[in-house]
Amino acid sequence: MRKLDTVSKKIIITIIGLTALGLSTIGGLYAAAFLLGPPSLVNDENTLYYSRDGEVLGEERGMESRYRIELSEIDPTFIKATLAAEDRRFYDHNGFDIKRILSAALSDVQTLSLKEGASTLTQQYARNLYLSHDKSWIRKIKEAFYTIRLEMFYTKDEILEGYLNTIYYGHGAYGIEAASRYFFAKSAEQLSLAESSILAAIPKGPAYYSPYNERDNAKRRQKHILQLMQEDGEISAQEAFLAYREPLAFVEREDAPKKTVAPYFQDTALQEAAHILQTDKETLRSGGYKIYTTLDKTLQKKLDKHIQKAIDTENDLQAGALSIEPETGAVLAMYGGHDYQASEFNRAIQAKRMPGSAFKPFLYYAALEHGYDATTQLMSKPTSFKLENGDVYEPSNFNDYYAEKPITLAQAIALSDNIYAVKTNLYLEPKTLPATAKRFGIDRDLPEVPSLALGTAEVTVEEMVTGYGMLANNGHNIQAHTVEKIVDRDGHTVYKRKQHDQKNDTNLDPKKTFMLTQLMTGMFDRELDGYMAVTGASIADQLTRNYAGKSGTTDTDSWMIGYSPDIVTGIWTGYDDSRPMERVVETAYAKNIWADFMEDAHDGKPPKEFTAPAGVVGLPIDPETGKRATPYCDKSRIMYFEKGAEPQLYCRDHLPKHDDNEWKTDNEKGLFEKWFELFFGFGS
């Protein structure tokens, strides 16, 4: 009897000791948890792109798809389904369901394994955030510690929200919002009871219960969850019956979602945002950012449509295109190539190609700064230029057409006369054009050679369109950009593009940019036809409003860049391997695409004219003589000059043979002549 009492005492002492040890251990864990403070709830989230109208444009992810949403944005039925499936006493325990733990522990002891799980949502959340998924005692201890910390510092709703945003639903989808979009192409707040119960079935075994992989398994678990919800009084028997039998419209998919809207634009925005935030692209992809972009989805669709209509995308002939807002440089639409999945190389941003005559506006801006005006005449005929190093340079015009007489700057631009351009470049000195191009944003080393006037140096579509944008906005510096604002996962605006200060950021003379713009409208004006038709003659009849532009063609490249006061668009076509374009039709694609797109882009918008700055006057000029036109001239075009430098002499080439008087300057005019001018609307 005395011996039994001794054994009993030892057992009691052992139990008391173990209990004390357990209580002290638990106390120590809670004390440590308290001292360490709340654990971070930060986790990877998908980064979203928004178009300029605020619609979701696309998404970026790392290896996984994640979205962060609030509990209020999740359908309540889904929350109930999840609690029924995973943790029915979630709101009643402190992170550990003792009854389930004891039952699972007994089973594990009997089987000498760790197969049985009794994890609460808080434990699962802790594991998802901080730990691996291996089944070991060390991991379980760590899991318990993090569970204590979560329950100590966060509310039940915060824990539930975090869990629903991190739990894995298979197919790379983490969190209910990603799963809802993946399986049903809808947000989590739009889920039905049937959809909610089928998704709630997945986390127990994402591969085994995926409705894509194992439809029967998913349906069996769905039925079980509906029964649990019915037992808990959350739904009626009829609701459970109907939900189980409701046809489910799963998204048909072969693989992970692909970028379908402006994929090249999205890549550019990602790179720009990473540069802004001084981070790497992979971190940005899964950082949960909201990137508000400049993209106009309507214009993007129109650009895609017109390029793909004009060019057989099965052909090797490629295209690159960019459309920007001239006042700000905001990229409205971008086309980087026919097939993003086949090649992510962006021909609008990355490809460097020769622009040909599309480069000439930069030359002629410099010419206007050095005394040229619309009526400046140079001889157009085959010319050999002897260079300083002794070499001879012999440029030629298209198809060897020449005026064989002097032509004005207005006609030289409209007809794209190469002899006029090279003469001008040599007159300005070859170093002038590269320096001028830099002022237009083409910040690269350009060769100081006569042929640069004909666009023989390589540039990008982005550089060319940005330069033309500065002509369209009367000389203000702009930078092509795709990102307007970036918001982090916590809703803080971490970047907002500053409003463009045009008054303090003028790099070019507004009078000369306006004068050049008006000269560039000439490519569509048949009044400027000369020894050949103006270069825009093939598309002039398609245009219903005033545009300025310039085309360019080399053996391997075809360009058309032009603008209205609202939009600047550049189109390039060619082969990636720089093979020659041998078919005539291929050289016409760029112009046709540009004309179709610009007309479509302006459809429904009120007409808008280029606004002349102070100090500029417009006069009717005879295109051939470069003198002020009279009623007798066959052709007349309004040309613009700086006030005080406008032509004074009138054209006499087209006067009636019996009238041998030359129109005179104001000081030489008689009363009748002044009255005649006033009546016909001539004069300055």
Side-chain angles (χ1 to χ4, degrees):
M1 188 71 175
R2 191 177 295 172
K3 189 174 183 179
L4 181 61
D5 290 342
T6 302
V7 172
S8 299
K9 287 179 181 179
K10 288 182 178 180
I11 293 173
I12 292 171
I13 292 171
T14 301
I15 293 173
I16 293 173
L18 290 174
T19 302
L21 178 63
L23 290 174
S24 62
T25 301
I26 293 172
L29 286 173
Y30 274 88
F34 178 79
L35 291 173
L36 287 173
S40 172
L41 301 183
V42 174
N43 203 353
D44 287 350
E45 298 174 31
N46 281 17
T47 285
L48 297 179
Y49 298 110
Y50 292 83
S51 60
R52 63 171 15 202
D53 60 3
E55 293 185 8
V56 174
L57 170 65
E59 65 183 270
E60 281 291 350
R61 65 170 88 170
M63 297 299 292
E64 305 156 354
S65 180
R66 300 177 187 263
Y67 303 87
R68 184 85 188 184
I69 58 174
E70 296 180 2
L71 200 62
S72 60
E73 297 176 282
I74 303 173
D75 182 79
T77 304
F78 173 78
I79 295 174
K80 293 173 183 177
T82 297
L83 292 175
E86 299 294 334
D87 194 348
R88 299 167 80 178
R89 288 182 284 274
F90 172 72
Y91 280 99
D92 299 322
H93 61 63
N94 63 351
F96 304 97
D97 190 333
I98 303 301
K99 183 178 179 180
R100 289 177 64 191
I101 290 174
L102 292 174
S103 176
L106 179 60
S107 177
D108 286 344
V109 169
Q110 291 173 342
T111 60
L112 298 177
S113 69
L114 293 174
K115 291 182 180 180
E116 285 297 318
S119 296
T120 62
L121 291 190
T122 311
Q123 289 174 275
Q124 293 181 54
Y125 186 31
R127 183 164 63 244
N128 293 337
L129 282 177
Y130 315 115
L131 304 168
S132 66
H133 287 253
D134 63 300
K135 291 183 178 294
S136 69
W137 289 109
I138 296 297
R139 197 270 292 161
K140 282 186 173 290
I141 292 171
K142 290 180 179 179
E143 179 186 296
F145 181 64
Y146 279 112
T147 299
I148 292 171
R149 292 179 68 191
L150 288 172
E151 288 279 346
M152 183 178 291
F153 292 102
Y154 297 101
T155 67
K156 286 290 188 180
D157 283 351
E158 288 174 326
I159 294 170
L160 179 59
E161 180 182 294
Y163 170 83
L164 293 176
N165 276 296
T166 57
I167 196 68
Y168 186 49
Y169 289 86
H171 305 281
Y174 283 78
I176 181 54
E177 182 69 7
S180 184
R181 293 188 187 199
Y182 186 88
F183 288 100
F184 296 112
K186 62 170 63 174
S187 66
E189 61 185 348
Q190 299 172 317
L191 292 171
S192 68
L193 173 59
E195 294 165 340
S196 294
S197 55
I198 201 77
L199 291 181
I202 298 174
K204 187 174 180 64
Y208 188 74
Y209 291 112
S210 167
Y212 286 145
N213 299 342
E214 301 287 349
R215 185 69 60 92
D216 291 342
N217 294 343
K219 290 298 290 182
R220 279 195 298 271
R221 181 152 175 79
Q222 178 196 30
K223 185 176 183 180
H224 174 64
I225 291 171
L226 290 169
Q227 289 172 342
L228 292 175
M229 294 178 72
Q230 182 184 337
E231 291 173 9
D232 292 341
E234 300 292 354
I235 59 174
S236 65
Q238 183 181 20
E239 287 175 318
F241 177 85
L242 293 175
Y244 180 71
R245 287 160 179 79
E246 179 182 312
L248 294 172
F250 293 105
V251 175
E252 294 185 9
R253 62 201 319 141
E254 297 176 359
D255 203 348
K258 299 174 182 178
K259 295 176 182 176
T260 56
V261 179
Y264 293 99
F265 178 94
Q266 291 186 46
D267 274 1
T268 304
L270 174 68
Q271 184 170 346
E272 185 177 325
H275 177 73
I276 290 169
L277 299 181
Q278 293 295 295
T279 187
D280 61 90
K281 291 189 288 186
E282 289 306 314
T283 299
L284 191 64
R285 280 191 170 101
S286 56
Y289 292 95
K290 292 180 179 179
I291 301 175
Y292 293 86
T293 75
T294 60
L295 188 83
D296 186 315
K297 290 176 71 174
T298 300
L299 291 185
Q300 182 65 50
K301 290 177 182 177
K302 290 179 177 181
L303 183 61
D304 292 345
K305 177 183 72 174
H306 291 299
I307 292 177
Q308 292 163 7
K309 177 183 175 182
I311 302 176
D312 180 2
T313 55
E314 298 298 320
N315 193 321
D316 289 340
L317 187 72
Q318 274 291 350
L322 196 69
S323 189
I324 71 169
E325 187 176 65
E327 288 300 314
T328 64
V331 175
L332 304 174
M334 178 186 293
Y335 191 93
H338 299 322
D339 188 349
Y340 178 81
Q341 301 303 322
S343 171
E344 297 180 14
F345 180 69
N346 189 336
R347 295 156 187 86
I349 303 294
Q350 297 172 287
K352 299 180 181 67
R353 309 292 296 225
M354 290 189 293
S357 293
F359 200 74
K360 289 176 181 175
F362 309 135
L363 169 73
Y364 291 130
Y365 176 82
L368 291 175
E369 288 193 318
H370 285 76
Y372 277 52
D373 65 26
T375 63
T376 301
Q377 293 186 322
L378 294 175
M379 180 65 72
S380 169
K381 68 177 184 179
T383 306
S384 297
F385 297 93
K386 189 171 183 179
L387 307 182
E388 291 182 358
N389 62 4
D391 292 342
V392 176
Y393 177 48
E394 297 180 328
S396 61
N397 279 349
F398 177 72
N399 282 344
D400 286 324
Y401 293 155
Y402 304 90
E404 300 291 348
K405 63 179 182 179
I407 61 173
T408 63
L409 174 59
Q411 273 198 319
I413 293 177
L415 307 179
S416 200
D417 192 281
N418 289 339
I419 305 301
Y420 193 109
V422 174
K423 284 183 177 180
T424 299
N425 195 23
L426 290 172
Y427 165 75
L428 298 175
E429 297 184 359
K431 66 180 181 181
T432 302
L433 181 51
T436 303
K438 276 185 168 58
R439 295 167 63 190
F440 280 91
I442 302 177
D443 192 15
R444 62 175 66 245
D445 291 330
L446 299 174
E448 297 178 1
V449 295
S451 63
L452 182 60
L454 308 184
T456 54
E458 294 181 336
V459 291
T460 67
V461 174
E462 179 189 18
E463 289 172 326
M464 292 295 291
V465 171
T466 301
Y468 275 55
M470 292 177 65
L471 292 175
N473 69 29
N474 281 351
H476 305 302
N477 282 322
I478 54 173
Q479 182 178 13
H481 63 276
T482 60
V483 177
E484 290 289 351
K485 185 173 71 170
I486 304 174
V487 177
D488 67 15
R489 70 172 77 220
D490 297 319
H492 300 134
T493 298
V494 294
Y495 169 79
K496 187 172 184 179
R497 190 171 185 84
K498 294 181 181 178
Q499 190 170 4
H500 190 61
D501 184 3
Q502 296 181 345
K503 292 183 179 179
N504 298 319
D505 198 17
T506 300
N507 193 32
L508 306 172
D509 185 334
K511 294 191 290 291
K512 292 178 174 61
T513 55
F514 174 79
M515 289 158 53
L516 182 54
T517 288
Q518 294 301 323
L519 288 169
M520 290 169 63
T521 65
M523 74 170 289
F524 309 114
D525 186 356
R526 301 304 299 268
E527 291 290 304
L528 290 173
D529 284 354
Y531 61 84
M532 61 179 291
V534 292
T535 53
S538 62
I539 57 175
D541 292 342
Q542 300 172 234
L543 307 179
T544 60
R545 58 185 70 209
N546 204 22
Y547 301 105
K550 190 73 189 74
S551 58
T553 305
T554 71
D555 291 339
T556 58
D557 305 273
S558 181
W559 296 70
M560 178 62 212
I561 312 173
Y563 51 93
S564 71
D566 296 315
I567 301 173
V568 186
T569 300
I571 310 290
W572 165 86
T573 59
Y575 292 96
D576 285 340
D577 59 5
S578 296
R579 80 182 82 155
M581 290 185 289
E582 297 177 345
R583 296 190 303 150
V584 176
V585 67
E586 292 178 336
T587 62
Y589 287 146
K591 287 181 186 175
N592 292 333
I593 293 168
W594 181 89
D596 289 341
F597 170 73
M598 289 294 277
E599 283 293 292
D600 201 1
H602 288 85
D603 186 36
K605 293 185 177 182
K608 197 173 181 182
E609 296 297 328
F610 298 105
T611 304
V616 173
V617 294
L619 300 173
I621 300 293
D622 176 83
E624 291 187 12
T625 65
K627 296 178 181 179
R628 293 165 73 160
T630 74
Y632 300 106
C633 293
D634 296 330
K635 297 179 180 180
S636 174
R637 173 177 166 83
I638 299 294
M639 298 184 190
Y640 291 83
F641 306 86
E642 291 195 46
K643 193 169 184 178
E646 61 270 27
Q648 297 298 315
L649 297 179
Y650 286 87
C651 172
R652 61 180 298 184
D653 290 12
H654 306 101
L655 293 176
K657 291 183 180 180
H658 64 273
D659 190 344
D660 198 29
N661 293 319
E662 177 179 346
W663 292 95
K664 305 166 186 175
T665 65
D666 285 341
N667 292 331
E668 299 172 320
K669 295 172 187 172
L671 180 63
F672 176 77
E673 292 168 327
K674 292 180 179 179
W675 175 88
F676 184 81
E677 269 187 15
L678 181 65
F679 180 79
F680 283 103
F682 296 111
S684 59

